[in-house]
Structure formats: C-alpha cells, structure tokens
Amino acid sequence: MSEVHVHRVQPAWKKNALIDNDTYLKWYAESVKNPDKFWGKHGKRIDWFKPYSKVENTSFDGKVSIKWFEDGETNVSWNCIDRHLKKRGDQTAIIWEGDNPYDDRKVTYNELYAHVCRFANVLKKHGVKKGDRVTIYMPMIPEAAYAMLACTRLGAIHSVVFGGFSPDALAGRIDDCKSTFVITADEGLRGGKHVPLKENTDKAIEIAAKAGTKVEKVLVVRRTGGKINWVAGRDLWHHDEIATVKADCKPEKMKAEDPLFILYTSGSTGKPKGVLHTTAGYLVYVSMTHQYVFDYHDGDIYWCTADVGWVTGHSYIVYGPLANGATTLMFEGVPNYPSQSRFWEVIDKHKVNIFYTAPTALRALMGSGDAHVTKTSRKSLRVLGSVGEPINPEAWEWYFNVVGNGKVPIVDTWWQTETGGILITPLPGATNLKAGSATRPFFGVKPQLVDGDGKVLEGAADGNLCITDSWPGQMRTVYGDHDRFVQTYFSTYKGKYFTGDGCRRDEDGYYWITGRVDDVINVSGHRMGTAEVESALVSHDKVSEAAVVGYPHDIKGQGIYCYVTLMAGEASSEALRKELVDHVRKEIGAIATPDKIQFAPGLPKTRSGKIMRRILRKIAEDDFGALGDTSTLADPAVVDDLVANRQNKK
Ligand code: WTA
C-alpha cells in the first residue's frame, strides 16, 4: 500500500458542526449498545399520528423479519410537506435547474403542498388507492417528486423506473409488481437530446400486456411538447387533470411497516429484484443521515446530482432533504452540457452549500482540465459528497483540492439500494479523512468482515462486508419473493446481512470498500448484473452463449466486457458486433452498452459445465499472466484462443 494521506478535520469544519468526534464516539457507542433506546429517541425526529411504543423487532435468522416502530402510524408526504408549512411555507423546497441553463424554477413548501395534493387527488380520482403499485417513468422535473410524494400521501406504493431504461426493462418492472397505473412525460431532455419517454411507455405497455399485466391509465406530464401517440380512454394529460381537482388532500394514516416503495435493482443472478422499503424506519433513517452526514443546517442549499430513478435520488434528493425542511436542488441535465463547467456554474448560480455526486462524473470532469473548474467561484461550498462506487484516491484528491480548494470536507458515503440510506461515511466535523476510504460506520451500524468461510476477521483485515444487526432504513423484503430476500442476503453468512462488497479495514478501524465480490458490476455508478447483460445477448438469435464481466475503466469505474459464442454457422463481423451492441441497448438501455465484445469459439468451463469467470475477468483485464490454475477446465485450449483475441491489449 502506498502511503495514505490523512486530511485532518479543519477548525472551520468543526466550528458549527452538528457532530464532533467526541459526540460521534459517544453516540456510536450508545447506538450499538442499546439500539432500542437510541432509535427510540431518534424516531421522534419525524411526526407521528400515533406514537410507537415498540422500537426494534428484527431477526436475521430463519425466515428473517425486520420491523421498526411497528405500532406507530405516520405518513411520509405529511412529514415532508405539511409539518413544515407553518414555519417555512414560503421557503424554497425544490430548486429545479433545467437541462437548458436558462430554464429554472423554484417551488416553495406551500406550492409543493398544493402540487402534491392535486397530484394525489388526480391519482385518487382514477382509482389509485392504498397498497396499489404505481410506476413512475419520468425525467428529472419537479413533477417526478410530486408523483412520488402523491403516492405516499395515499399510501400507494411507487416503483420509479430510471428514464434511461428501455421499453423491455420498463415492461419487466411493470409486470413484476402488477402495476396498472403509469406516470410519465411526453419526452425527457438531457444534454439537449430528447428522450422518448411516452413512446417507450407505449411499447412497454404492449410488452407487459403480453406478459399478463394490463396498464389501465397513463398520466402524462408535458415536458417538451414533442409529438406523441395518444390512446383515448387510457392516457391522461397531467395539466388537464390537475385543473379538475382540489389543492387539498388528507394524508392517509400509514402503519410504520406499510410498504412505501419498490425499487428494482440488479443482483448476481436472475431478473432485477424489487427492493421493498417501508414507511417509518426508512424516513427516520434517511432524514437522520441526511442531516448528520451532510452536516445540514437550516437554510443550506443542498444538491444531489443523482437521478430519482436510483435510490440516491429517492433518499437524498426527495425524502431525506424534504423531511428535514431543506432546499433541495433537482437537476435535469448532465455534467458536460452545455459545457464542462456546468456543475460548478450551477453551484455558483444557486449558491449551493452541499454538493453530492458520483466518482464517475468527477473522473470525466477531471479529464477535461482544471480550468473549467477554476474559472468558477464555488465559494458557497461547505460539504462535498461522493456515492455509488469506490472513489479512487486521485479523483478524491482532485475533488478536494480543485473543486473544494482544499477547504471543504468530502464525505465518501457507502451504501446500497437495499440499505435505504448511508451506512459507512465520514461526518464532516468529526472524522479525519483518508482519500478513498468511506471511513467509519454511521450510528447504529455494525459492520463485520468475514472470510470466504464465514470466519470473523478482527482488527486490520481484508474480507467480505457483512452487517450484523438491523438499522431502520433496511429493506424489508424482495417484493413478492421473501425467500429470494432470505436467500440473497442472509444465507451466505448465516444470521448476517451480506452486502456483496469486498472491504478492507485498516489499523484505525477505517473501512475501504474494494468493490463487488459477486457478479454485479458498477458501470458509471450504475449497478448492473452481468447475468442481465448475458440474457440480453443470448436473446439475439445469432448468439449461442455469452459471458459478461467487468474490467477496470478509467472513467466508468468498470466497463462491460462480453464474450460471445455464436450459433453454429454464424460468422463474426464488425457489423454483427454493432448489431449486438444495439441489441443490448434495446433490451436494457444505453447504460448497459457493451464496451467490448469478444467473439469466442468456446468459453472456459469446468468439467461440470460451470463458466470460470475468474479466468474471463483476468483476460478482460489483460492480466492473463495471472490466470491461475486452468487444469480443471474441460478444454484448456479455449484459453489460448481467448488470450490471443483479447480486446483490451495494452
Ligand atoms: C457500490 C448506490 C464504494 C457498492 C447508493 C455497493 C460504493 C453498490 C459506494 C450499491 C462508496 C456505493 N464506495 N462503493 N462510497 N457507494 N458503492 O444499490 O459496490 O446502486 O454495493 O446503491 O455500489 O449500488 P446501489
């Protein structure tokens, strides 16, 4: 290991910080010693229709059951809006920054209330009720947040699908949760390009119908005014509908463990899983982490650059910040449009204090040169955050020194769709920083490292990251498939939640996430199952077999490397390569675009027919000197061909 540069907490970070190191140590010790007492106290940070008397009731053994605050009653939209109106009705809740820099909007809490109530009344008018699943396939416009909050107001379960997913991917998600109501927009707008959301929705609805789910209503928000197809009786214009309803809607009283939302995420096998989060524990956890991790103070302008289609958008654009009465910035565009300075210009324009983004964006911007950054002021910045993938020390130092002028703490936050909120992270006024380390656990979080056999590793060690006790923001189940939940997360290491990540703990007890140890890859901060890309490839009629692995990529973190065996009689060609790339984009979406396709006459398999991915990973990394033992292969000769035709020759 090269020497690690420690960035100590600077006096300015400590000055008004909510948590200093002594407080961190004290609270952390309390939180793990007596979780019931700790969360019993912090559960009160949200408002309740009916207070809870029980706090934690969880078990990671056997059938696995996770309940928090179970006899309490509350409502998420009521916590994110209504309770703020008296004190901050005229404060901006959402700053919307459009794709076009001349396009922006501010929405106060009073306005948010009216928008969300109308939205909820429209849903209600068309039959949406508590427990129904509503699919949201939207661009980054405030109406996406209204739609989410409107669902929670009624107790409907939203399933937000990222606007970059294809009709096929959308259809699979509609069908999996039998969602009969879809909210979308005519088109999205990103980097000046139009995204045909309504057209995709139309196609998805056809596909879902064939699978057995009939979508009854499509509510369409007008974003660009682009031409779209219209199905009378099924499609509804949002602007027409909201004109017919009142701007008041009573929030439904929800039990703490009533489902809040489903969010599909990729695993190492099979189709994406519907991660289910519930009402109260989730809200307590995301609001608390939003406040302390970002050292959020009343009046701060906070910007998370994620998309609401991902968990980061759910927890840290919408629910955490709004539960805290914050001003949250929502950005429709991309980091390099109209110029490479866009992020920093938006920070100056809206005087952003807290900025939260992904390493992949930082690496891309770093590559375009410092001048794009240094020509802006960024004086308003007080906290910088990173999320979604490991941040390499070079990108970290650049973020710190160039973006933050060496004066702003970076919180490298490790978490997952499944965890609901941030689990391992520095706190700005408390934690000495090391470039590339997510540092220490948040309150109540008990990480543990184990080796491949499940042996617990103590002290400085390298292993697989588990969490040994529950926290309120944890997912409760896989929608419709509790066995899969137990199998995926609690069977590898009995009685522990297994994250799927590898991790090193150093001599100071700091955690360094080293990346996934399963067949999940992380491409530009987008999580993807290699199995999904493989199944997209083999659905092409010229493909007989495919194996997909990740390889290190300078900007994306990981690139997608595909080994493809063609049907007998099919010849490989550049044209076919392109056809396969397009095919994967059509099946999943542009985020799954293969970077490399290698045509392979055979794949390395054991005698029992199992593909040896370890070997494929090494070849994709151009590190075939370290192939290890290949003697167990059914046909060791295939490896020579794979090496000779590798696509990543240095
Ligand atoms: C990875 C995103 C290193 C990790 C919130 C995890 C990270 C997966 C970090 C979850 C980080 C996320 N450092 N790796 N700070 N944050 N990851 O579900 O591999 O989209 O398991 O949730 O991203 O991705 P997901």
Side-chain angles (χ1 to χ4, degrees), residues 35 70 90 182 254 280 377 474 488 496 512 531 562 626:
E70 60 189 288
D90 291 326
V182 179
M254 303 299 290
S377 150
Q474 186 173 23
T488 308
K496 294 168 196 179
W512 300 72
C562 310

Side-chain angles (χ1 to χ4, degrees), residues 26-74:
K26 182 162 164 271
W27 284 27
Y28 183 75
E30 285 168 9
S31 71
V32 293
K33 193 166 139 232
N34 193 342
D36 240 51
K37 184 163 165 228
F38 183 83
W39 291 111
K41 179 167 147 212
H42 290 284
K44 299 199 179 98
R45 60 180 296 116
I46 65 167
D47 286 356
W48 298 81
F49 292 123
K50 178 175 168 253
Y52 49 89
S53 67
K54 288 193 208 158
V55 182
E56 179 173 8
N57 178 8
T58 66
S59 159
F60 284 1
D61 290 310
K63 289 200 169 80
V64 181
S65 162
I66 298 161
K67 291 181 186 158
W68 286 89
F69 312 111
E70 60 189 288
D71 58 346
E73 285 177 12
T74 183

Side-chain angles (χ1 to χ4, degrees), residues 21-191:
N21 197 43
D22 292 341
T23 312
Y24 168 77
L25 295 173
K26 182 162 164 271
W27 284 27
Y28 183 75
E30 285 168 9
S31 71
V32 293
K33 193 166 139 232
N34 193 342
D36 240 51
K37 184 163 165 228
F38 183 83
W39 291 111
K41 179 167 147 212
H42 290 284
K44 299 199 179 98
R45 60 180 296 116
I46 65 167
D47 286 356
W48 298 81
F49 292 123
K50 178 175 168 253
Y52 49 89
S53 67
K54 288 193 208 158
V55 182
E56 179 173 8
N57 178 8
T58 66
S59 159
F60 284 1
D61 290 310
K63 289 200 169 80
V64 181
S65 162
I66 298 161
K67 291 181 186 158
W68 286 89
F69 312 111
E70 60 189 288
D71 58 346
E73 285 177 12
T74 183
N75 178 286
V76 167
S77 117
W78 176 66
N79 267 288
C80 289
I81 308 171
D82 307 38
R83 67 168 175 159
H84 304 314
L85 296 182
K86 215 157 143 200
K87 186 170 161 210
R88 54 178 95 244
D90 291 326
Q91 183 203 303
T92 302
I94 299 176
I95 299 175
W96 178 73
E97 170 76 13
D99 187 52
N100 178 329
Y102 295 97
D103 213 358
D104 56 27
R105 258 195 265 172
K106 285 185 178 157
V107 182
T108 66
Y109 273 95
N110 280 330
E111 290 163 345
L112 183 64
Y113 175 84
H115 286 303
V116 169
C117 285
R118 281 189 200 279
F119 213 117
N121 282 329
V122 170
L123 298 181
K124 213 182 201 171
K125 177 178 152 195
H126 292 285
V128 174
K129 52 185 194 315
K130 186 170 173 172
D132 288 354
R133 279 81 54 217
V134 174
T135 299
I136 300 178
Y137 183 61
M138 286 279 265
M140 284 290 288
I141 53 178
E143 286 77 6
Y146 306 161
M148 294 163 74
L149 289 161
C151 287
T152 72
R153 201 159 186 93
L154 303 177
I157 307 168
H158 63 66
S159 161
V160 183
V161 178
F162 174 57
F165 277 121
S166 69
D168 281 287
L170 174 59
R173 287 158 172 78
I174 288 173
D175 181 52
D176 184 81
C177 67
K178 305 281 172 246
S179 164
T180 60
F181 199 109
V182 179
I183 303 169
T184 188
D186 51 359
E187 296 178 315
L189 201 54
R190 289 185 85 233

Side-chain angles (χ1 to χ4, degrees), residues 265 311-312 387-390 412-418 501 513 516 522 527:
T265 194
V311 74
T312 308
V387 61
E389 45 176 326
D412 173 5
T413 63
W414 173 84
W415 58 297
Q416 312 177 295
T417 306
E418 293 87 338
D501 278 315
I513 307 296
R516 302 287 305 199
N522 198 322
R527 174 170 163 181

Side-chain angles (χ1 to χ4, degrees), residues 80 148 158 260-261 263 277 282-283 285-291 294 302 304 306-324 328 356 415-422 473:
C80 289
M148 294 163 74
H158 63 66
L260 178 63
F261 66 80
L263 185 55
H277 283 288
Y282 172 82
L283 195 65
Y285 196 76
V286 296
S287 68
M288 181 148 166
T289 45
H290 171 261
Q291 181 180 5
F294 299 107
Y302 163 88
C304 164
D307 189 286
V308 290
W310 309 115
V311 74
T312 308
H314 284 60
S315 302
Y316 298 112
I317 294 177
V318 180
Y319 294 121
L322 294 178
N324 290 338
T328 180
Y356 190 30
W415 58 297
Q416 312 177 295
T417 306
E418 293 87 338
T419 69
I422 295 162

Side-chain angles (χ1 to χ4, degrees), residues 188 196 238 424 556:
H238 166 259
I424 302 183
K556 298 181 177 183

Side-chain angles (χ1 to χ4, degrees), residues 520-587:
V520 170
I521 52 177
N522 198 322
V523 182
S524 300
H526 299 320
R527 174 170 163 181
M528 214 169 305
T530 52
E532 286 168 68
V533 184
E534 287 163 7
S535 91
L537 283 165
V538 297
S539 74
H540 188 284
D541 55 15
K542 290 179 186 159
V543 174
S544 137
E545 199 170 27
V548 172
V549 297
Y551 70 94
H553 187 289
D554 284 348
I555 307 277
K556 298 181 177 183
Q558 281 187 296
I560 304 179
Y561 194 114
C562 310
Y563 296 88
V564 171
T565 306
L566 295 175
M567 293 288 188
E570 295 294 344
S572 61
S573 66
E574 272 316 301
L576 181 56
R577 198 187 297 265
K578 188 167 175 303
E579 197 176 312
L580 294 180
V581 169
D582 289 342
H583 182 71
V584 174
R585 290 170 65 101
K586 181 191 145 290
E587 291 285 310

